[in-house]
């Protein structure tokens, strides 16, 4: 890594910045200081490149900076939801729980930023508003809402697949006189719900985590549910020092297993096929996974995620648990997910979620039966009447995978915008490159396995692959890299080909953009698996970056 004192200061670089110059302000601009952006910055710096990272928040952390809602935690094991690129880092960091809570992950990422001295190359509180490629100079000009304008040879979008929070367009929202919060934009100082009547709209992963914690504090909690989710018990617990030491001793093999796995996480393998297992044995196996907690329930049997009948056995098991847990049979039935396969919308992992509906201060409103008509000054009006509230919490999710990119005015060759290019749905090659947008890389983008996986494993792969490509360009003297249209078309066809016919197509999920009115219904992530994707990317690199145009001059 170059000595930071030898790097030219940002101010002096920017002062000689000129959009028309062929000498860029920086070698690379990175957008976003989450897991992906921090590792990209670190990797580029280690190659002696000059980098500026722009981050909208006032600190590092990305997702884990913004999602400070009560109960926020990861549902991937802490020891696996962490960087593997530096052995000292993974050996020295002490995870305290099986599933890490948001403050702990944020502390970890702050530690990473400090440990590798990353902050000096980050501009905080600065949201990138545009990134324009200039055909004449071959450089990107990146501007921010805090007045920065810089040029760079490469731009890396580490903007996150779940970072563009959505508050639905409900009539009368502005008239509400109480507090309004979104789980993904939670105040740093927290929110005091004591003595308040709180309404939570949304019962996806965020709502499922927040609801039990808010219920403990609020005077009254009303949960507005549109689609009930499948909520698996987390069974979170402290990690004993012996347990963590064992994991750390086994890290080389464990990381290798993660990288070659389907989801990037280490789950017990399926115990057979549900449809070939006797019903009483099947229930016993589901009981075992239910008792163990976490995502492993989903893969109890190898056919649960591939066969609708097998899937229904798992779905019905979850419904039986809901009916067993929730005392009021009407409420239990409203909480029972029906009409779509388990896992086709992201399963939720929660703690005491169903138990919360046995509390005297919690009411469930079934929006399928009584839809929201409008928000009024004193609360939420459904067609059954007004629910009076002091605070509304939107746990209504994100404009996933494309929202953060679409919020930036990105223009490639000939001034063509990414928004126009993706009007009918996102198109990438491998999820990292877009034809017509030279030297722009997207991390965890549409067309990559990112959101279907332990995203940290996917992120490390993406970053290392992109950096490997930059190394290749530099060693061969190439200046421009972008996907060819042909390779991109083939990749999009491959990604959608795997999804078509899968159980994932049978739900209105954010994977399909179904949660955003008007968004094209395209299955955005790559279902082929983390290991397969990694091997494919490695082969493409070995084939001289097949499907990419890597040139010294713009064609
Ligand atoms: O968002 P969501 P999320 N009126 O889109 C409802 C990751 N994550 O923030 O299903 C009424 O899943 C919507 O209803 P419906 C994880 O990948 C991980 O919870 O569209 N309701 C749904 O119930 C996750 O999948 C972790 O009918 C409306 C909810 O709002 C992803 O982030 C924790 C509505 C949105 O659920 C997103 O999760 C948190 C409306 N107009 C998040 N609009 C962990 O690691 C939307 N809804 C544990």
């Amino acid at each position: 890594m170059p000595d930071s004192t030898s790097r030219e200061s940002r101010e002096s670089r920017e002062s000689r910045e000129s959009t028309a110059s062929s000498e860029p302000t920086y070698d690379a601009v990175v957008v976003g200081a989450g897991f992906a952006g921090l590792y990209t910055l670190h990797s580029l710096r280690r190659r002696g490149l000059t980098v500026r990272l722009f981050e909208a928040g006032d600190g590092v952390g990305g997702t884990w900076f913004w999602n400070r809602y009560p109960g926020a935690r990861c549902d991937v094991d802490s020891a696996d939801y962490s960087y593997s690129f530096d052995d000292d880092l993974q050996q020295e960091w002490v995870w305290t729980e099986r599933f890490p809570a948001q403050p702990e992950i944020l502390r970890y990422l702050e530690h990473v930023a400090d440990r590798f001295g990353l902050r000096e190359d980050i501009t905080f509180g600065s949201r990138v508003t545009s990134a324009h490629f200039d055909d004449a100079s071959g450089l990107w000009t990146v501007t921010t809402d805090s007045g920065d304008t810089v040029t760079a040879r490469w731009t890396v979008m580490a903007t996150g697949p779940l970072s563009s929070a959505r508050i639905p367009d409900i009539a009368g929202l502005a008239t509400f006189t109480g507090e309004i919060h979104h789980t993904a934009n939670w105040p740093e100082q927290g929110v005091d719900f004591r003595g308040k009547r709180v309404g939570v709209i949304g019962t996806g992963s965020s709502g499922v985590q927040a609801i039990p914690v808010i219920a403990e504090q609020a005077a009254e909690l009303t949960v507005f549910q549109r689609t009930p989710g499948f909520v698996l018990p987390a069974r979170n617990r402290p990690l004993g020092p012996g347990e963590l030491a064992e994991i750390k001793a086994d890290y080389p093999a464990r990381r290798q297993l993660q990288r070659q796995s389907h989801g990037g996480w280490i789950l017990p393998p399926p115990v057979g096929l549900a449809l070939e297992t006797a019903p009483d044995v099947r229930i016993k196996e589901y009981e075992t996974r239910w008792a163990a907690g976490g995502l492993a329930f989903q893969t109890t049997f190898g056919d649960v995620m591939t066969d609708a009948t097998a899937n229904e056995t798992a779905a019905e098991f979850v419904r039986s648990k809901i009916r067993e847990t929730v005392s009021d049979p009407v409420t239990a039935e409203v909480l029972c997910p029906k009409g779509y396969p388990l896992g086709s919308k992201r399963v939720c992992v929660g703690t005491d979620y169903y138990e919360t509906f046995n509390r005297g201060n919690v009411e469930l409103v079934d929006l399928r039966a009584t839809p929201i008509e409008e928000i009024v000054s004193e609360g939420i009006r459904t067609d059954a009447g007004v629910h009076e509230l002091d605070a509304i919490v939107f746990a209504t999710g994100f404009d996933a995978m494309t929202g953060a990119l679409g919020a930036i005015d990105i223009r490639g060759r000939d001034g063509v915008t990414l928004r126009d290019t993706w009007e009918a749905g996102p198109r990438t090659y491998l999820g990292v490159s877009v034809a017509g947008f030279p030297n722009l890389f997207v991390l965890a983008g549409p067309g990559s396995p990112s959101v279907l996986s332990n995203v940290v494993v996917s992120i490390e792969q993406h970053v290392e692959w992109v950096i490997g490509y930059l190394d290749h360009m530099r060693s061969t003297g190439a200046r421009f890299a972008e996907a060819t249209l042909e390779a991109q078309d083939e990749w999009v066809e491959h990604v959608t080909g795997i999804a078509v016919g899968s159980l994932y197509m049978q739900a209105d999920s954010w994977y399909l953009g179904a949660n955003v009115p008007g968004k094209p219904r395209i299955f955005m992530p790559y279902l082929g698996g983390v290991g397969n994707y990694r091997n494919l990317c490695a082969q493409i690199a070995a084939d001289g970056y097949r499907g990419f145009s890597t040139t010294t001059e713009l064609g």
Side-chain angles (χ1 to χ4, degrees), residues 406-421:
I408 301 171
D409 177 18
I410 301 173
R411 296 177 190 221
R413 289 163 177 269
D414 304 322
V416 171
T417 69
L418 190 70
R419 284 178 201 143
D420 286 344
T421 308

Side-chain angles (χ1 to χ4, degrees), residues 85-161:
F85 69 82
D86 186 291
D87 192 48
D88 291 341
L89 170 67
Q90 67 183 5
Q91 293 298 332
E92 78 199 8
W93 184 260
V94 178
W95 294 104
T96 64
E97 293 182 275
R98 176 184 179 189
F99 295 122
Q102 174 270 332
E104 188 163 42
I105 305 175
L106 186 58
R107 273 200 304 280
Y108 169 74
L109 288 170
E110 285 169 345
H111 169 74
V112 170
D114 293 335
R115 193 184 194 288
F116 297 106
L118 302 180
R119 291 178 200 270
E120 66 191 62
D121 290 320
I122 304 178
T123 305
F124 291 105
S126 200
R127 185 176 289 279
V128 168
T129 49
S130 70
H132 293 177
F133 182 74
D134 178 52
D135 298 74
S137 65
L139 300 179
W140 284 90
T141 299
V142 176
T143 56
T144 73
D145 65 358
S146 50
D148 306 90
T149 299
V150 300
T151 56
R153 192 164 303 290
W154 297 293
T155 297
V156 181
M157 292 294 176
T159 43

Side-chain angles (χ1 to χ4, degrees), residues 159-412:
T159 43
L162 293 161
S163 53
S164 181
R166 264 197 82 244
I167 290 191
D169 192 12
I170 301 176
L173 179 62
T175 65
F176 182 60
T177 50
E179 299 166 46
I180 292 178
H181 301 287
H182 191 290
T183 45
N185 198 3
W186 205 258
E188 202 170 340
Q189 67 280 13
V191 181
D192 186 357
F193 288 123
R194 278 175 302 181
K196 293 188 177 149
R197 299 161 303 173
V198 182
V200 174
I201 304 180
T203 54
S205 297
S206 305
V208 157
Q209 290 185 328
I211 284 163
V213 186
I214 296 175
E216 280 177 13
Q217 206 187 55
E220 292 168 22
L221 172 65
T222 310
V223 176
F224 295 88
Q225 173 195 276
R226 189 163 67 183
T227 309
F230 288 92
V231 183
L232 310 175
R235 315 273 184 228
N236 186 36
R237 56 181 167 73
L239 268 186
E243 195 178 354
L244 191 58
E246 216 171 284
I247 292 171
K248 286 182 176 179
D250 190 37
Y251 253 145
R254 195 175 174 97
R255 297 300 198 183
Q256 192 51 24
L257 208 61
Q258 281 180 257
R259 293 182 190 122
Q260 286 302 327
S261 68
H262 186 79
W265 36 55
I266 297 178
L267 300 175
V271 291
L273 297 178
L275 297 183
E276 292 179 0
T277 305
D280 56 330
V281 179
R282 202 161 57 204
I283 299 284
K284 223 172 117 222
E285 296 294 352
Y286 284 139
E287 287 286 4
T288 305
R289 297 276 176 127
W290 188 262
L295 295 166
F297 177 84
Q298 208 174 328
T299 52
T300 308
F301 295 103
D303 48 359
V304 166
M305 290 309 298
T306 54
D307 183 287
T309 312
N311 188 285
E312 181 54 22
T313 66
E316 191 49 33
F317 178 87
V318 176
R319 288 182 211 117
S320 74
K321 288 293 179 192
I322 298 170
R323 292 177 186 125
E324 203 176 289
T325 309
V326 179
S327 329
D328 174 37
V330 176
T331 303
E333 227 35 54
V334 173
L335 286 166
C336 280
K338 291 169 196 149
Y340 68 94
L342 176 148
S344 57
K345 280 165 94 85
R346 171 75 156 70
V347 286
C348 306
V349 177
T351 297
D352 292 338
Y353 179 67
Y354 293 122
E355 290 81 350
T356 297
F357 293 91
N358 293 333
R359 295 177 66 106
N361 67 335
V362 176
E363 184 194 356
L364 179 66
V365 173
D366 178 4
L367 295 180
R368 300 266 179 214
T370 56
I372 294 177
E373 284 189 343
E374 60 174 339
I375 293 180
V376 291
S377 60
E378 68 274 30
I380 295 177
R381 184 198 298 282
T382 68
D383 59 10
V386 173
H387 297 267
E388 292 188 2
L389 301 168
D390 302 307
I392 300 176
V393 173
F394 285 93
T396 43
F398 304 88
D399 183 353
M401 306 213 79
T402 57
L405 293 167
I408 301 171
D409 177 18
I410 301 173
R411 296 177 190 221

